[in-house]
Amino acid sequence: VDDVARGINFAISRGVDVINLSLGQEVAVIGSDPEFEAAVDRALDRGVIVVAASGNNSLPVCEQPSGQGRLLCVGAVDRRGMRSFFSSFGSGLAVVAPGGSGLPLRDENVLSTWGDGGYREQAGTSQAAPFVAGVAALLVSRGVRGQAAVNRIVATARDAGPPGPDAEYGAGVVNARAAVSGPGGGVARVFVAAVQRIRA
């Protein structure tokens, strides 16, 4: 926890715009370390967009308790758009993004870089959160920063589950095209074209 707090402080000192926190542990412990909480709050106070994985313990609360209401807590959905069984949800959840199903089948999970220089299919909210961090970075590139970017991501999410925000999906599935649409939509077109190439 101390190392992560130092990493956040280092990132702030370098003037970053987006921080992704894909953190977790085998047994969820609700609560946080004061130094870590202070680092997250410092980042948010400086206008940094903080994106955090909700956790993989299927608990009815975002497992990243720091900065609630200001950071983007991200849960996972599978390829069918259903909440991944492992994804924590409920209180504090902002949006969801592709995180895989956790099933040991081909094309069920998210193709992710691996420490050996290759790729593996992985499932988790740590796979979902970077999608949202990427959309946040696109918004920053268009001049939408800090809480304005957070609000845009939540407001443009594609509704899922019962109508309106709910405990399973938050505001819905992150929608990059809708989030970055508007004047000068070049970034949106480039992003969509890149995703289409990846799917092909």
Side-chain angles (χ1 to χ4, degrees), residues 127-146:
Q127 276 60 48
F131 281 101
V132 177
V135 175
L138 287 173
L139 286 170
V140 168
S141 77
R142 296 173 60 82
V144 183
R145 298 174 177 275

Side-chain angles (χ1 to χ4, degrees), residues 80-142:
R80 288 160 288 280
M82 303 296 293
R83 181 176 68 85
S84 306
F85 77 90
F86 53 78
S87 180
S88 291
F89 58 99
S91 177
L93 183 69
V95 293
V96 293
S101 68
L103 298 174
L105 302 171
R106 184 172 170 78
D107 297 330
E108 278 291 325
N109 299 309
V110 178
L111 190 62
S112 303
T113 54
W114 199 249
D116 61 5
Y119 298 88
R120 290 191 187 182
E121 285 192 11
Q122 297 290 306
T125 56
S126 290
Q127 276 60 48
F131 281 101
V132 177
V135 175
L138 287 173
L139 286 170
V140 168
S141 77
R142 296 173 60 82

Side-chain angles (χ1 to χ4, degrees), residues 5-138:
R6 283 195 293 272
I8 293 169
N9 288 329
F10 178 82
I12 295 168
S13 74
R14 293 298 188 264
V16 302
D17 295 299
V18 181
I19 293 175
N20 183 86
L21 298 174
S22 291
L23 307 172
Q25 48 198 22
E26 291 301 315
V27 179
V29 178
I30 303 303
S32 193
D33 177 84
E35 186 177 345
F36 175 75
E37 287 185 355
V40 171
D41 287 339
R42 192 174 303 112
L44 292 165
D45 291 343
R46 297 276 181 92
V48 177
I49 303 162
V50 180
V51 179
S54 69
N56 299 328
N57 294 291
S58 197
L59 292 175
V61 64
C62 177
E63 295 178 43
Q64 172 41 53
S66 300
Q68 287 299 299
R70 296 196 295 159
L71 61 71
L72 280 165
C73 184
V74 181
V77 291
D78 62 22
R79 63 182 302 178
R80 288 160 288 280
M82 303 296 293
R83 181 176 68 85
S84 306
F85 77 90
F86 53 78
S87 180
S88 291
F89 58 99
S91 177
L93 183 69
V95 293
V96 293
S101 68
L103 298 174
L105 302 171
R106 184 172 170 78
D107 297 330
E108 278 291 325
N109 299 309
V110 178
L111 190 62
S112 303
T113 54
W114 199 249
D116 61 5
Y119 298 88
R120 290 191 187 182
E121 285 192 11
Q122 297 290 306
T125 56
S126 290
Q127 276 60 48
F131 281 101
V132 177
V135 175
L138 287 173

